[in-house]
Amino acid sequence: MYAPLGAPEPEAVEGVFPIGADPRAQLYADVPEAIAEPAVSGLVDQRHQSFADRVTRAAWRTVPSVYVITERRHPCNG
């Protein structure tokens, strides 16, 4: 994911990207408070490795997936 963004490949990929200083403003600025706060509280740091791994094929073609579409567009947590 680094190369398509024009960023250099890191030499090491250990560790995590920490959650930003203000994830509410960065990710959910236009979302009502009642929805944003539970979403922000569920955020976790992301591993550097997941951004550095090279993609070799489209996962949607080889990994079984399930999509749930609700009438009122409520997310399914699970």
Side-chain angles (χ1 to χ4, degrees), residues 1-5 9-10 13 15-17 45-55:
M1 186 157 163
Y2 291 100
L5 298 175
E9 297 276 341
V13 293
V16 296
F17 282 118
D45 294 337
Q46 300 295 307
R47 293 182 60 229
H48 282 285
Q49 183 69 47
S50 65
F51 294 97
D53 285 344
R54 294 201 180 272
V55 176

Side-chain angles (χ1 to χ4, degrees), residues 1-76:
M1 186 157 163
Y2 291 100
L5 298 175
E9 297 276 341
E11 290 184 24
V13 293
E14 293 80 29
V16 296
F17 282 118
I19 296 171
D22 189 0
R24 170 73 172 95
Q26 293 169 327
L27 303 171
Y28 301 98
D30 61 343
V31 177
E33 192 72 22
I35 296 171
E37 284 307 315
V40 168
S41 70
L43 293 174
V44 296
D45 294 337
Q46 300 295 307
R47 293 182 60 229
H48 282 285
Q49 183 69 47
S50 65
F51 294 97
D53 285 344
R54 294 201 180 272
V55 176
T56 59
R57 63 186 181 274
W60 62 267
R61 292 183 183 199
T62 57
V63 178
S65 301
V66 174
Y67 295 90
V68 177
I69 302 172
T70 63
E71 289 183 16
R72 295 187 181 173
R73 300 175 71 180
H74 290 259
C76 298

